[in-house]
Amino acid sequence: MKVEVKHWHAVAQWRWDTGVSSDDTNKGDDDEGDVCGICRVPYEGCCPACKVPGDDCPLIWGECSHVFHMHCLLKWIGTAASKQQCPMDRRPWVTAERKIGGSPISTGNVTGSNGPTTITADANPPRPPPPGS
Amino acid sequence: MDARLRRVNKEIADCKNDRTSNISLELIDNSPFHLRGSFPGPEDTPYQGGHFEVDIIIPDSYPFQPVKMKFITKVYHPNVSSASGAICLDILKDAWSPVLTLKSTLISLQSLLCSPEPNDPQDAEVAKHYTTSKGSFEETARYWTHIYAGGPGAKDPKGSKSIRDEVAIAGLENAHVDQFEGLGFPRNKVIDVLRRLNYRGANVAQISEDRVVEELLKS
Ligand SMILES: [Zn+2]
Ligand SMILES: [Zn+2]
Ligand SMILES: [Zn+2]
């Protein structure tokens, strides 16, 4: 059987919840609000090392509130030149804790090279953390 | 397409679309990793009215390593080598961050022209000139902007008078310029070489005539 695709419609759209509403990111005269500052590809696209956007190329949040593709940030943190600092504000990078469904799934401080420091990021498109808990 | 190429192409396009910053980026040869950036000299500085060009080399590991920039246009500034155009600026070295762009880095160079850092000089002689006599430094910087960066010159209709002024603005002595011009070298070249050698004041005694002639033959 031979199938020929004549046309198709996209029926769904998604974006990472970066904690900033799209109204806010579209404000201002630079349109750099919703791109990863390291590779300058939108958060919804994937980092240059990946082929497919989505769960396999997640975002990472710092306690300073800056957001990057996780792979881009880790590549930077892995260079000696980074001094393990956030590229935006040059403060020591500390991965922020993000909670999904009330349980912390992401924690860690990438500046630690000893011990069981882990870096994980949201495995699902994130939702805002519930208040309190 | 590799990540570096994609990012650089995007930066070049963004710069083209941005008409407010007055920063421009062009290819120098066929490589997208060798560019020429340019910007106008900042207002209310000795660089006002000049057009300053910068040679840009984008390293393999960009943006994880800083871009290499140096001035193509000769600039008289404590943090720029008056001979090579090399620039002393922290973000081009250990304060680089991958979120900096070619445009933001060029804007930083533009503001470096507004605020020299003589305590961290690239050109020690220029820094000395800046710290010992700011007025005279500014005259020289303005003169450089005029002859090298196409800036406005002294409004003097008399040609010969204007050449004499150039010698004074360069902080040199007419007698010294005349001396080497008398050996058969073009006056402009003599001025250029003597200024580069900092042939001024007490320094004159340190520089032999042979040394000056050697420089004149090289230039
Ligand atoms: Zn990225
Ligand atoms: Zn990735
Ligand atoms: Zn930050």
Side-chain angles (χ1 to χ4, degrees), chain A residues 35 37-42 47-48 68 72 75-76 79 81 83 87-88 90, chain B residues 2-3 6-7 10-11 14 63-65 94-101 103:
Chain A
V35 304
I38 298 175
C39 65
R40 311 202 80 76
V41 170
C47 83
F68 304 94
C72 293
K75 191 166 178 197
W76 166 242
T79 66
K83 303 183 198 90
M88 287 288 187
R90 289 234 152 237
Chain B
D2 79 10
R6 191 158 54 184
R7 189 180 138 155
K10 198 158 180 236
E11 288 196 43
D14 286 352
F64 297 99
Q65 289 278 303
D94 55 354
W96 170 257
S97 156
V99 300
L100 296 174
T101 61
K103 185 172 88 180

